[in-house]
Structures are given as C-alpha cells and as structure tokens.
Amino acid sequence: MSKLIVSEIGPASSVQDGGRHGAQRYGLTPSGAMDQLALAAANVLVGNTPFAAAIEIGPFGAAFTAREGAVRVAVAGASRNTDISGRAVALDASMTLADGQTLTLGFARGGSFSYLAIEGGITGEPMFGSLAVNARAGLGSPYPRPLQAGDQLQTPPASGAPERRIDLAAPPEGPIRLVMGPQDDEFSEEEKKLFLDSEWKISATSDRMGYRLEGPIIKHLHGHNIVSDGTVSSKPSAWRGRKPRHGTSRNCYAPCPIGCVRSTSLISTSRLSVMLTSRALPSAPSTPEHGRYLRQPTRWPLIKTIRSRKGIQDDHHRSQLRSR
Amino acid sequence: MVETLSAPRILPSGDSAITVEFSRDIDDGANKRVLALDRTLANEPVPGVTETVPTYRSLLVHYDPLLVDFDTLREKLLALANLPVPPTIKTRRWRIPVVYGGEHGIDLEDVAKTLKTTSDDIVERHVRGDYRVAMIGFTPGWSYLSGLDNSLHMPRRQNPRLLTPAGTISIGGVQTGVQCLAGPSGWHLLGRTAVRTYQLHRDPIFLLEPGDHVTFSPVDAKTFAEQDRAAEGGEIVAELMAA
C-alpha cells in the first residue's frame, strides 16, 4: 500500500462520497459531496466509480504528500493554483505523485469546493454504506471528523495508467433554479414575487447545513410558528436555502419551505464562494414552471454522461492526435 | 363503518421528492395515515422510490426521476394513500427514565411560572402522558412525540438556543420530544434522559421507530448519572414494556 499524507489542510475539508442514504427516517442526513458533479469527475479521471469517497477540500488551501510509493490522484472543482513540488499542474486532470512528491493546492477562486480523488479509492470502514464524514453524528471513515495535517490515507500504489483530463462546463451563471413548494402556499403571491425578484447575498454564517441569504423580509401568511416538516425554510428576516448535505434531515426551528433548489442548481450553488466572500445572487425567474422542471431531471444525466464526454481524453491519445 | 378518507395533497419537494400531506395541522389521525402509507411502500416497493421519511402529517417520498416521473408517481401515491388504513401493527412500548428540572431541565421553573403552577405539577402532567413516536428527525434520533397534555402546549422560545444537552427532554408547541445529540433547540427544556435513541456500535443503532409508544418515569440525579454511565457502555437503559 502507498499512503497519501495530509501535509496541510484548511477547515471544512473532509472525506465525502455520494452520500449515506436510507436513514433519513431516523434523522440521519445523507452527507456526501457538496458538488457531486466535481466529485464524479475527479473519480472518473482516476478510474474509480463516480461516487466513490474522495477528499472534499474547502475554500482554503491544502497539501498532500505521497509516501511508500507513487499515488495517482485527480483534482476537480473550484479553480485554484496547483503545483507538484513547484511545477504548476492543470486541474480537472489526473496526475501521479512519485514517492515523496507534494501536491499543493491554493485558495479556491470562484467557488468553494474541490475534490481530490485517489486511484483505487480511499480505504475505510463504511457506515451505512458510506465513508462520508458527518462529524455531528460521529460518522465517517477513516476519520469521523474534518481532516487535519498529519492524517494518512491508505491507497493502492499508482497503476501507471495514462493521465486523463476533462473539460468541465463552467458553472452556469444566472439565477438559482427552484421548484416552488412544498409550503409556498404559506406566502402570498406578492411575497413570493418579492422573494423571486430580489437579489440575495450569501451570509458569512453559511455552511454545509444551510446558505443563509440576506435580503428583503419575506412575510409568512400565518406567522412562522407553523408545522415543521419542511426542507427549505424562510425565517421572518431571512430565507434559508437548504443544502441537503449536512443539513437537518427534517426541519429547522422556524421553517417554511418556500422552494427547493433544483438538483442542477445545487451543483452550481455549491460552487459559489461562501466562506471567503459574500456575493450577490442574480434574481431568479418570477414564473417557475413546476411541471417542466419536474419532467426534466438533469442531475443524473449530467453525471452519467461524464464517461462519454468528448472532454475526457487521455494525454497519450491527445499527443497521438497532435503528432498526426 | 367505512371511513371516507380525504385525498392527501401531493406537493413537489424539488425535482426528486414528493411530499404527501394528509393534514394542514399536526393531527394524530393524519400521522397514522402517514405511517400506514410508509408501511405500504415498505411492503410493496414502488419502482423508482429510493427512500421515505415520515413526519407528523406528511410522508416525504424520495425518488429517482430517471426511473419514475412526477405524474406517474403522484397517481400511484394517491391510489396507495386512499387504501383503508390497515389495523395498527403490533408496536412497542418504551419507558424512558428522566431527571426533571434543576441543571438538567433549566426551563422547568419558567414553564411552571408561565402556566401558573408548580414544577412538580408540570412534571406530573408530563409523566402522566401516553406518547407515540410521530416522527424522528432534525438530528439523528431526535424523536418527536404526539400525545402531550393540552395544558402543556406552549409556543416555542423566541430565541432558540444554539446548544442544548444530549438526552434533553423538552416541549414545544403541541409536541414533546427526546433529543439524542447535543444541538440547537427552540423548545423548553424540562429534563434529561440517559437513553441514547441513537448510538453507533450498539444493536440497534436507532432505538425508537415511528409508531412506538413512549412513557416517561422520573428518576433522581444520582440514578441518571448511573444510567448515563451504563448507556455510555452500550446499555439501552430504556425499559421495553409488555405490549
């Protein structure tokens, strides 16, 4: 076995995968990668299954060193300065760290999360079928907590397979797409229009549990002390956008789900810079079309087509093309 | 007598989940229908449904939109929801020990003051209750119970606390609850139990199931401390009563 040593790492970095499904009825949230598309891209680049466990790296920098053998990795997600022992390398690509070499990632630019997938996956003990870290519930493996400098991840030695890269589409600009409901009838048409037509700023208090948005006051029709079984909630003073990764499985204390972020928009939402900067969001369309959205699921097709994207080409193949 | 059931509301919850809502309010009858539909879906799986989450008055049904579309699933759920509620399956009855008041239940005195009675009277009314697990959620093992005495219904706190202790027993609105992990809460804290409704490396990991019956029994602080040590070691501590 080779090892990947965490030499340096910022907060909000942990092992995540496709998530832990099936126990939401007991209050256990799925966890899993904030940006499932970037997770899948990184995994596929090193030949793993798309939702295998990888290292989710928060907005700050990180460094990883190969020990006791070469380690092949891929990084996808937020844009960052990246180098191997001082030599700049491209993101959204696989790379092999020789024994002793260090991969250094800078601060995230234009996003928050990056994914470092390790060829052969991360060795750990699955809990409810997942290695994803949920620190509050004491779950996650090999460490049930955010990663720290000095942590070691066991991994099979690098295969020596040709390196690959992927041209990921830029995160979509424009409004965050919602499906209104399930409790949008707790708001008047005027309040819903105000909600959809306003610009919202991501609060610095946002985290994996929720993006707190600052903007105009959206009033409930019947007060906020309503029945709690919701998902996206609105407080009298702020709208809380639900991020279903480390969120509460059921409800908040003063919830009123006005709408749910579309799966595809969750991907782009998770790419917004949250922890470092606050940024105004463009306004959302004022006439959401439930039915059309519901018949156009796009998250899974997006992920399922990664393997067949033209963007995936191994460097060996590219150089052959060039030499012709 | 054949009971006529009102059709539930089918509400989109994003592009891969449907809320089947049986009542606008917290309602025991609605909760029974929720749990019945949950059991139906467990016994006769509908293709494309990936996970169900029961709540007081609605069932959240997660689905894979590539396997089943919204309209098809809506029709299926409506048909299943309108089946007669099957007779209640055998449920379990738990007795959960609670140390009330003092440092373990810092809101007990205030609740008594607000309701113009004594702390002992509040405890007595809370212990007298015959509760049912209506849903589990918010954080792992947080069990919401129906059956709270009308006289104990109180609005939630204006300012939720960011951290309340593991094992907290509290009341909020028309509900009472057993909280497992330390975490935020806007409810009124009456006491604590050593019982872990969620504990890794114990069989079962989750102690309570939606539909289980629960009663509380008061214990003193010394007993609580002993039970807490036993529970830490993996003991269930709660008593399983004869049904």
Side-chain angles (χ1 to χ4, degrees), chain B:
Chain B
M1 192 185 87
V2 178
E3 195 184 349
T4 313
L5 300 172
S6 57
R9 296 206 304 160
I10 301 285
L11 306 167
S13 295
D15 53 15
S16 51
I18 287 178
T19 297
V20 185
E21 187 185 278
F22 289 93
S23 165
R24 304 302 291 260
D25 305 302
I26 289 179
D27 176 275
D28 222 38
N31 186 242
K32 283 178 177 147
R33 292 182 70 190
V34 169
L35 298 180
L37 179 60
D38 185 49
R39 276 202 302 279
T40 303
L41 287 170
N43 295 338
E44 302 159 36
V46 170
V49 170
T50 54
E51 186 167 2
T52 57
V53 190
T55 83
Y56 265 106
R57 51 79 180 267
S58 66
L59 186 70
L60 182 64
V61 179
H62 291 275
Y63 65 96
D64 180 341
L66 287 188
L67 296 179
V68 61
D69 66 65
F70 179 81
D71 292 334
T72 306
L73 187 56
R74 171 173 54 193
E75 293 314 311
K76 250 178 202 156
L77 291 174
L78 275 174
L80 293 175
N82 285 322
L83 294 177
V85 176
T88 311
I89 53 159
K90 202 173 161 189
T91 51
R92 300 175 300 175
R93 183 173 287 278
W94 299 94
R95 187 154 70 190
I96 292 180
V98 181
V99 54
Y100 284 95
E103 60 175 301
H104 300 101
I106 56 175
D107 293 330
L108 179 62
E109 279 186 36
D110 281 348
V111 168
K113 264 184 213 146
T114 306
L115 298 178
K116 297 188 172 53
T117 183
T118 61
S119 296
D120 285 352
D121 184 44
I122 298 295
V123 171
E124 197 189 312
R125 288 188 216 174
H126 193 255
V127 167
R128 209 164 48 212
D130 183 7
Y131 304 102
R132 204 166 50 83
V133 179
M135 63 180 238
I136 303 172
F138 184 43
T139 56
W142 215 119
S143 304
Y144 292 77
L145 308 181
S146 66
L148 182 68
D149 191 287
N150 286 341
S151 69
L152 293 178
H153 296 180
M154 283 175 77
R156 284 166 273 202
R157 288 169 54 82
Q158 277 294 317
N159 297 304
R161 294 192 176 93
L162 290 177
L163 190 67
T164 56
T168 288
I169 304 293
S170 55
I171 57 173
V174 302
Q175 312 160 59
T176 185
V178 184
Q179 169 182 340
C180 186
L181 304 180
S185 172
W187 290 19
H188 308 275
L189 318 185
L190 298 189
R192 282 183 75 191
T193 181
V195 173
R196 272 74 162 158
T197 52
Y198 161 71
Q199 193 169 21
L200 278 175
H201 312 298
R202 181 191 65 190
D203 185 21
I205 292 174
F206 293 99
L207 191 64
L208 303 180
E209 292 282 339
D212 282 0
H213 287 266
V214 170
T215 53
F216 295 111
S217 63
V219 294
D220 59 23
K222 183 165 164 283
T223 309
F224 167 76
E226 286 163 9
Q227 289 177 332
D228 198 45
R229 276 191 296 277
E232 187 61 44
E235 276 185 44
I236 284 173
V237 181
E239 276 178 87
L240 189 57
M241 317 293 286

Side-chain angles (χ1 to χ4, degrees), chain A residues 103-163:
Chain A
L103 170 69
T104 306
L105 303 167
F107 276 40
R109 294 189 311 257
S112 290
F113 296 99
S114 300
Y115 295 84
L116 182 140
I118 305 171
E119 185 184 52
I122 288 174
T123 306
E125 185 195 341
M127 293 168 177
F128 302 106
S130 167
L131 299 182
V133 170
N134 176 343
R136 175 170 284 183
L139 293 170
S141 182
Y143 302 98
R145 53 163 173 76
L147 287 170
Q148 300 168 357
D151 286 349
Q152 304 188 356
L153 301 166
Q154 304 281 340
T155 179
S159 67
E163 304 299 357

